[in-house]
Amino acid sequence: MDVSHILDGLNDAQREAVAAPMQNLLVLAGAGSGKTRVLVHRIAWLMETENLSPSSIMAVTFTNKAAKEMRGRIEQLLDIPARSLWFGTFHGIAHRFLRAHSRDAKLPENFQILDSDDQLRIVKRIMREFNVDETRWPPKQVQSFINSKKDEGIRAAYLPPTHSQYDHTLAEIYKQYEAQCQQSGMVDFGELLLRSHELWLNNPALLAHYQDRFRYLLVDEFQDTNTIQYAWLRVLAGDRIPIMVVGDDDQSIYGWRGAKIENIQQFQFDFASPLVVKLEQNYRSTSTILKAANTLIANNGDRLGKDLWTNGNEGEPIDLYAAFNEQDEANYIADRISSWVDQGRQRSDSAILYRSNAQSRVLEEFLIRQAIPYRIYGGLRFYDRQEIRNAVAYLRLVFYRHDDAAFERVVNVPTRGVGNKTVSDLRVHAREQSISLWQACVERLQLGLIKGKAKQSLTQFIDLIDSLSAEQDQISLAQLTEQAITRSGLKDFHANEKGEKGQARLENLNELLTAARDFSVDNDDDDEELTPLAAFIAQAALDAGEQQADEHQDCVQMMTLHSAKGLEFPLVLMAGMEEGLFPHQMSMEDPSRLSEERRLCYVGVTRAMEKLIITYAESRRLYGQEKFNPVSRFVREIPADLMQEVRIKNSVSMPVSFAASQSSSFGEESAEFHLGQVVNHAKFGEGTVLNYEGQGSHARIQVNFFDHGSKWLVLSYAKLEAV
DNA sequence: CCCCTACTGATCCAC
DNA sequence: TCAGTAGGGG
């Protein structure tokens, strides 16, 4: 068979990785170096030269989107359906294993996946049950304690002994939480991984079966793996399945959710004699942008080391704009996008990147003012919206009525007169009898322990679920969903909600119907047969859902730096480049967290293909307070000769005091200084003039020093020099 | 049960 | 500053 087409158009490094023998392989793939391409071609290569069947290849990603994209590209390249490839997220694949071996994993056949909202409810309930002080142990913190322990692979029983009452309480809640989840057959995200990890460890025969079955493993974004994911891969691969991991230590930005950058360094020691290939040729950015990125990231120690290069041209210098405040910054950004469009470019080819979501408000305001359409990425996942979760909870009950989390969620949504008292009675009853809330409810109704409105409502509720589940086999998934949201009253509930909110929620429910209609179970060959309903419910838990529909309009893209990872744009504007904001206040002290901030900046810079614009505000209103933060150290780490400072102050958004004083310069005798000017101070170094007040010998001047922040100085003593 | 008010707290977020 | 929420009063 002719396989040359698989190697065509690849550079030497890419080709080395794609055509490597069946062995462990670490591919260090710089930004824009064709990483996905290598993964996809590698799979094609193995299938065609090593005769690997699709079902003997497993490829693991972090997001469903990435998995979907890879699958699509494989199909395109090989021109065959790639159904039987095991492509998916860590969680999705773990879920699949657990489903297939639920008994060995000590789970009920119908075990349910808890999303983080369900999880928080359970934690709260346990804490109330045990009278834990919610101010000392905030439920959210308890939840993240549990999650981080699971991510580290530590069960409650294996927590180190402690004398601290605080830690002890955490451990107790964790223990209770584990017990209750087990009792009601519920599994959270971390548990999916932990449980399937244990499944293999406890069942060597089963593990051996899969080690025979899979001939090659591939992992994308390896720098984002956490402890349990790494352990999971190690156990699965053992010394029998060769594995290829692709990642970039310089783009590791998820340490705060458990990712261990060390994993990529550790790989070479834990997996036998891997071949290491570096992809350093960049096909995305101008050499100016790459040089900036390389110099910036060189400030981090302990890298595996990589230098991006390109055959492309130098391109334009990076623009740096020092705005007076965040309004001026937003206005400038809107201006730049306007002129980009005036040059005949697409708005959708431009992106505004920022460190924190709170920054988007002002930016939006000024984009609206200039009538520039925009689209904000990120925010709430589709399946995380209240109304969607409620609808899915009904489906969950139809599928499996003993799903306590779903039961609790919607017994009284929309409100039907089932109060707190009734529900807590149900809980006690269920607990005492070790039965589900559903059973408890049925029993109490039969025993006549529920009276009045509650009785009527609960009877109707039970009947509704019963009749829906009786119908489920005769009608389509979409019809079932439709029935569930109308007959439960959810639809009317939101229709009657006042304001735009209800409207938006109705639209989302309709969107869910569309999703149900389009949903097809792409069941793979030997997978146990999941009903469409079960598969749909699993998807709702494990998939973020598609972003909003209005993708077609030509919009400026706005997102956080984190969500920009993996994307590219001809024009990139990085806003809010100030100390305290970026690097963020909470990450400035700890060197390892600061390094992560720098990597985040590196990610931002390397998103730009043609033009990069960096802005910062000398004064910024944050949490109701005026902050004067110096320009970000990251900006100063970019070689000055790659940047040009833009110093046209447009007065549109300037506060009155600035605008009024801007025309008249001020100073001792001669008109030496003006707002925005860079000055030098013997002790504090360079800074920009922010403001001034008073006259003659009393005149004071406010300067925002690059290294010392903003200070008020008496002009006659300060001995400032213009720079 | 619902609405209003007072209070809190605040990077980044996939599964 | 402001959004989201807990708790009280109607």
PDB file of all heavy atoms in Angstrom, chain A residues 618-632:
ATOM      1  N   GLU A 618      -3.222  52.957  33.175  1.00  0.00           N
ATOM      2  CA  GLU A 618      -2.453  53.462  34.308  1.00  0.00           C
ATOM      3  C   GLU A 618      -3.320  53.592  35.550  1.00  0.00           C
ATOM      4  O   GLU A 618      -2.828  53.563  36.667  1.00  0.00           O
ATOM      5  CB  GLU A 618      -1.801  54.797  33.938  1.00  0.00           C
ATOM      6  CG  GLU A 618      -0.550  54.529  33.144  1.00  0.00           C
ATOM      7  CD  GLU A 618      -0.085  55.680  32.298  1.00  0.00           C
ATOM      8  OE1 GLU A 618      -0.795  56.701  32.235  1.00  0.00           O
ATOM      9  OE2 GLU A 618       0.983  55.533  31.688  1.00  0.00           O
ATOM     10  N   SER A 619      -4.584  53.763  35.312  1.00  0.00           N
ATOM     11  CA  SER A 619      -5.492  53.741  36.451  1.00  0.00           C
ATOM     12  C   SER A 619      -6.675  52.870  36.087  1.00  0.00           C
ATOM     13  O   SER A 619      -7.149  52.892  34.951  1.00  0.00           O
ATOM     14  CB  SER A 619      -5.923  55.179  36.773  1.00  0.00           C
ATOM     15  OG  SER A 619      -7.310  55.299  36.745  1.00  0.00           O
ATOM     16  N   ARG A 620      -7.101  52.055  37.015  1.00  0.00           N
ATOM     17  CA  ARG A 620      -8.188  51.132  36.703  1.00  0.00           C
ATOM     18  C   ARG A 620      -9.105  51.009  37.905  1.00  0.00           C
ATOM     19  O   ARG A 620      -8.667  50.850  39.029  1.00  0.00           O
ATOM     20  CB  ARG A 620      -7.634  49.761  36.336  1.00  0.00           C
ATOM     21  CG  ARG A 620      -8.717  48.733  36.015  1.00  0.00           C
ATOM     22  CD  ARG A 620      -8.108  47.391  35.679  1.00  0.00           C
ATOM     23  NE  ARG A 620      -7.276  47.470  34.482  1.00  0.00           N
ATOM     24  CZ  ARG A 620      -7.730  47.300  33.242  1.00  0.00           C
ATOM     25  NH1 ARG A 620      -8.999  47.054  33.037  1.00  0.00           N
ATOM     26  NH2 ARG A 620      -6.908  47.379  32.232  1.00  0.00           N
ATOM     27  N   ARG A 621     -10.377  51.092  37.624  1.00  0.00           N
ATOM     28  CA  ARG A 621     -11.363  50.910  38.673  1.00  0.00           C
ATOM     29  C   ARG A 621     -11.640  49.427  38.837  1.00  0.00           C
ATOM     30  O   ARG A 621     -12.071  48.766  37.914  1.00  0.00           O
ATOM     31  CB  ARG A 621     -12.644  51.649  38.295  1.00  0.00           C
ATOM     32  CG  ARG A 621     -13.343  52.237  39.453  1.00  0.00           C
ATOM     33  CD  ARG A 621     -14.519  53.073  39.033  1.00  0.00           C
ATOM     34  NE  ARG A 621     -15.277  53.325  40.225  1.00  0.00           N
ATOM     35  CZ  ARG A 621     -14.894  54.167  41.169  1.00  0.00           C
ATOM     36  NH1 ARG A 621     -13.798  54.871  41.006  1.00  0.00           N
ATOM     37  NH2 ARG A 621     -15.612  54.312  42.255  1.00  0.00           N
ATOM     38  N   LEU A 622     -11.336  48.923  40.026  1.00  0.00           N
ATOM     39  CA  LEU A 622     -11.476  47.498  40.258  1.00  0.00           C
ATOM     40  C   LEU A 622     -12.136  47.305  41.613  1.00  0.00           C
ATOM     41  O   LEU A 622     -11.654  47.795  42.620  1.00  0.00           O
ATOM     42  CB  LEU A 622     -10.086  46.852  40.226  1.00  0.00           C
ATOM     43  CG  LEU A 622     -10.012  45.416  39.753  1.00  0.00           C
ATOM     44  CD1 LEU A 622     -10.486  45.264  38.329  1.00  0.00           C
ATOM     45  CD2 LEU A 622      -8.591  44.907  39.898  1.00  0.00           C
ATOM     46  N   TYR A 623     -13.235  46.573  41.645  1.00  0.00           N
ATOM     47  CA  TYR A 623     -13.972  46.368  42.888  1.00  0.00           C
ATOM     48  C   TYR A 623     -14.261  47.687  43.581  1.00  0.00           C
ATOM     49  O   TYR A 623     -14.095  47.811  44.788  1.00  0.00           O
ATOM     50  CB  TYR A 623     -13.205  45.451  43.843  1.00  0.00           C
ATOM     51  CG  TYR A 623     -12.885  44.121  43.241  1.00  0.00           C
ATOM     52  CD1 TYR A 623     -11.650  43.536  43.446  1.00  0.00           C
ATOM     53  CD2 TYR A 623     -13.822  43.463  42.460  1.00  0.00           C
ATOM     54  CE1 TYR A 623     -11.356  42.304  42.888  1.00  0.00           C
ATOM     55  CE2 TYR A 623     -13.530  42.237  41.902  1.00  0.00           C
ATOM     56  CZ  TYR A 623     -12.298  41.663  42.116  1.00  0.00           C
ATOM     57  OH  TYR A 623     -12.013  40.454  41.554  1.00  0.00           O
ATOM     58  N   GLY A 624     -14.639  48.658  42.789  1.00  0.00           N
ATOM     59  CA  GLY A 624     -15.052  49.918  43.370  1.00  0.00           C
ATOM     60  C   GLY A 624     -13.913  50.808  43.823  1.00  0.00           C
ATOM     61  O   GLY A 624     -14.133  51.837  44.431  1.00  0.00           O
ATOM     62  N   GLN A 625     -12.686  50.373  43.560  1.00  0.00           N
ATOM     63  CA  GLN A 625     -11.575  51.223  43.975  1.00  0.00           C
ATOM     64  C   GLN A 625     -10.662  51.547  42.815  1.00  0.00           C
ATOM     65  O   GLN A 625     -10.464  50.732  41.920  1.00  0.00           O
ATOM     66  CB  GLN A 625     -10.767  50.545  45.078  1.00  0.00           C
ATOM     67  CG  GLN A 625     -11.328  50.822  46.448  1.00  0.00           C
ATOM     68  CD  GLN A 625     -10.403  50.300  47.512  1.00  0.00           C
ATOM     69  OE1 GLN A 625      -9.705  49.308  47.301  1.00  0.00           O
ATOM     70  NE2 GLN A 625     -10.406  50.953  48.656  1.00  0.00           N
ATOM     71  N   GLU A 626     -10.100  52.739  42.878  1.00  0.00           N
ATOM     72  CA  GLU A 626      -9.169  53.163  41.856  1.00  0.00           C
ATOM     73  C   GLU A 626      -7.797  52.566  42.152  1.00  0.00           C
ATOM     74  O   GLU A 626      -7.261  52.744  43.236  1.00  0.00           O
ATOM     75  CB  GLU A 626      -9.096  54.693  41.873  1.00  0.00           C
ATOM     76  CG  GLU A 626      -8.601  55.296  40.604  1.00  0.00           C
ATOM     77  CD  GLU A 626      -9.713  55.462  39.572  1.00  0.00           C
ATOM     78  OE1 GLU A 626     -10.911  55.333  39.930  1.00  0.00           O
ATOM     79  OE2 GLU A 626      -9.377  55.722  38.417  1.00  0.00           O
ATOM     80  N   LYS A 627      -7.263  51.812  41.175  1.00  0.00           N
ATOM     81  CA  LYS A 627      -5.936  51.214  41.385  1.00  0.00           C
ATOM     82  C   LYS A 627      -4.956  51.807  40.381  1.00  0.00           C
ATOM     83  O   LYS A 627      -5.302  52.012  39.220  1.00  0.00           O
ATOM     84  CB  LYS A 627      -5.998  49.702  41.157  1.00  0.00           C
ATOM     85  CG  LYS A 627      -6.966  48.972  42.043  1.00  0.00           C
ATOM     86  CD  LYS A 627      -6.266  48.478  43.278  1.00  0.00           C
ATOM     87  CE  LYS A 627      -7.216  47.608  44.073  1.00  0.00           C
ATOM     88  NZ  LYS A 627      -6.823  47.501  45.466  1.00  0.00           N
ATOM     89  N   PHE A 628      -3.758  52.071  40.856  1.00  0.00           N
ATOM     90  CA  PHE A 628      -2.707  52.516  39.939  1.00  0.00           C
ATOM     91  C   PHE A 628      -1.629  51.444  39.907  1.00  0.00           C
ATOM     92  O   PHE A 628      -0.781  51.395  40.788  1.00  0.00           O
ATOM     93  CB  PHE A 628      -2.101  53.830  40.408  1.00  0.00           C
ATOM     94  CG  PHE A 628      -3.108  54.932  40.504  1.00  0.00           C
ATOM     95  CD1 PHE A 628      -3.692  55.248  41.721  1.00  0.00           C
ATOM     96  CD2 PHE A 628      -3.478  55.644  39.375  1.00  0.00           C
ATOM     97  CE1 PHE A 628      -4.630  56.262  41.814  1.00  0.00           C
ATOM     98  CE2 PHE A 628      -4.417  56.662  39.460  1.00  0.00           C
ATOM     99  CZ  PHE A 628      -5.003  56.962  40.675  1.00  0.00           C
ATOM    100  N   ASN A 629      -1.718  50.592  38.946  1.00  0.00           N
ATOM    101  CA  ASN A 629      -0.738  49.513  38.887  1.00  0.00           C
ATOM    102  C   ASN A 629       0.255  49.764  37.767  1.00  0.00           C
ATOM    103  O   ASN A 629      -0.123  50.232  36.693  1.00  0.00           O
ATOM    104  CB  ASN A 629      -1.437  48.175  38.658  1.00  0.00           C
ATOM    105  CG  ASN A 629      -2.229  47.742  39.868  1.00  0.00           C
ATOM    106  OD1 ASN A 629      -1.752  47.847  41.004  1.00  0.00           O
ATOM    107  ND2 ASN A 629      -3.441  47.284  39.631  1.00  0.00           N
ATOM    108  N   PRO A 630       1.528  49.441  38.025  1.00  0.00           N
ATOM    109  CA  PRO A 630       2.510  49.600  36.954  1.00  0.00           C
ATOM    110  C   PRO A 630       2.258  48.589  35.842  1.00  0.00           C
ATOM    111  O   PRO A 630       1.559  47.602  36.040  1.00  0.00           O
ATOM    112  CB  PRO A 630       3.845  49.330  37.643  1.00  0.00           C
ATOM    113  CG  PRO A 630       3.537  48.695  38.934  1.00  0.00           C
ATOM    114  CD  PRO A 630       2.119  48.992  39.278  1.00  0.00           C
ATOM    115  N   VAL A 631       2.856  48.872  34.701  1.00  0.00           N
ATOM    116  CA  VAL A 631       2.704  47.970  33.562  1.00  0.00           C
ATOM    117  C   VAL A 631       3.229  46.588  33.944  1.00  0.00           C
ATOM    118  O   VAL A 631       4.153  46.453  34.747  1.00  0.00           O
ATOM    119  CB  VAL A 631       3.439  48.542  32.326  1.00  0.00           C
ATOM    120  CG1 VAL A 631       4.927  48.672  32.604  1.00  0.00           C
ATOM    121  CG2 VAL A 631       3.197  47.687  31.093  1.00  0.00           C
ATOM    122  N   SER A 632       2.623  45.587  33.383  1.00  0.00           N
ATOM    123  CA  SER A 632       2.988  44.203  33.703  1.00  0.00           C
ATOM    124  C   SER A 632       4.463  43.925  33.432  1.00  0.00           C
ATOM    125  O   SER A 632       5.022  44.357  32.429  1.00  0.00           O
ATOM    126  CB  SER A 632       2.142  43.240  32.878  1.00  0.00           C
ATOM    127  OG  SER A 632       2.656  41.939  32.976  1.00  0.00           O
TER     128      SER A 632
END
